[in-house]
Amino acid sequence: MSTNGGKKLTPEQVESMGDRLYVQSMEMKKKKLEALDTKYYKTEETRKLSKAEAEESAMRQVNQEMEMRKKRREQLEKKVHKEEEIRTFSQEEIDESVRRMYNEPMDIKKKKLEVLQKRYAPEPEKGKKLGKNQQSEMANRLCQPKKQVYTDDEINKVYGF
């Protein structure tokens, strides 16, 4: 109700106004939805089937489903259990396969190893080689002590006494 000098509404008028604003608008919306449903979702009137027609329809649907399942099972069995012919390879095919699967990767691996060897492990310097006599003389010379006899002071010095 308005207190600013405007028209005062009676409780019946307020109720009728609420009815008009809410209830009537909801009814109009419902009618529009029903009209759209009938327009886009057309349904035929139901008809009753006789018992014989119902059994015939059920049997037809069951038989169709069973046929479809049977065909699908046969297709899957053919796909899974298909007979593959045994194939023998000629010696050239075997050699080609070995070359492709083993030799080529090994060659690639060797080339990579050579590159890494050159980069990270340089070759040692080449020096002169000694003969067997020279090697044995050098070994004897290096194994023999320079001094054969040691004094007590030298021994104590070595052992820290």
Side-chain angles (χ1 to χ4, degrees), residues 14-28:
V14 171
E15 188 175 328
S16 68
M17 197 183 283
D19 180 52
R20 184 174 49 85
L21 291 173
Y22 178 74
V23 175
Q24 288 179 359
S25 67
M26 292 303 287
E27 287 175 1
M28 287 174 41

Side-chain angles (χ1 to χ4, degrees), residues 9-146:
L9 299 174
T10 63
E12 295 84 25
Q13 289 175 329
V14 171
E15 188 175 328
S16 68
M17 197 183 283
D19 180 52
R20 184 174 49 85
L21 291 173
Y22 178 74
V23 175
Q24 288 179 359
S25 67
M26 292 303 287
E27 287 175 1
M28 287 174 41
K29 184 176 181 180
K30 187 176 180 182
K31 285 179 186 177
K32 284 181 183 179
L33 286 175
E34 287 174 0
L36 289 173
D37 281 347
T38 57
K39 182 178 178 182
Y40 291 109
Y41 301 111
K42 296 178 182 176
T43 56
E44 292 184 18
E45 289 191 29
T46 58
R47 67 180 181 113
K48 294 203 174 200
L49 296 176
S50 67
K51 189 171 185 178
E53 288 176 327
E55 286 182 19
E56 181 185 328
S57 174
M59 290 305 291
R60 182 176 40 82
Q61 291 175 8
V62 167
N63 289 338
Q64 284 177 349
E65 180 65 24
M66 293 305 286
E67 275 297 315
M68 286 175 43
R69 287 182 184 188
K70 185 178 178 183
K71 286 180 184 177
R72 181 69 177 145
R73 186 177 342 105
E74 289 172 357
Q75 288 174 349
L76 289 174
E77 284 178 2
K78 284 180 184 177
K79 184 177 181 181
V80 172
H81 299 293
K82 63 182 174 184
E83 301 263 339
E84 292 187 21
E85 60 184 63
I86 297 173
R87 183 172 176 217
T88 57
F89 294 101
S90 67
Q91 189 61 40
E92 295 90 28
E93 290 174 323
I94 293 172
D95 292 341
E96 175 64 23
S97 176
V98 167
R99 185 189 60 74
R100 188 173 18 88
M101 294 172 64
Y102 180 75
N103 292 342
E104 287 178 3
M106 289 303 288
D107 292 341
I108 292 170
K109 189 174 180 180
K110 285 179 186 176
K111 288 177 184 175
K112 285 182 182 178
L113 185 62
E114 287 174 6
V115 169
L116 291 174
Q117 285 287 342
K118 287 179 183 176
R119 181 181 290 169
Y120 297 113
E123 294 182 22
E125 294 179 14
K126 296 192 179 192
K128 67 176 188 174
K129 291 194 174 188
L130 299 176
K132 291 237 180 218
N133 289 337
Q134 291 175 331
Q135 289 177 0
S136 62
E137 287 175 10
M138 184 179 287
N140 288 336
R141 188 184 77 228
L142 291 173
C143 291
Q144 296 294 324
K146 290 181 183 177

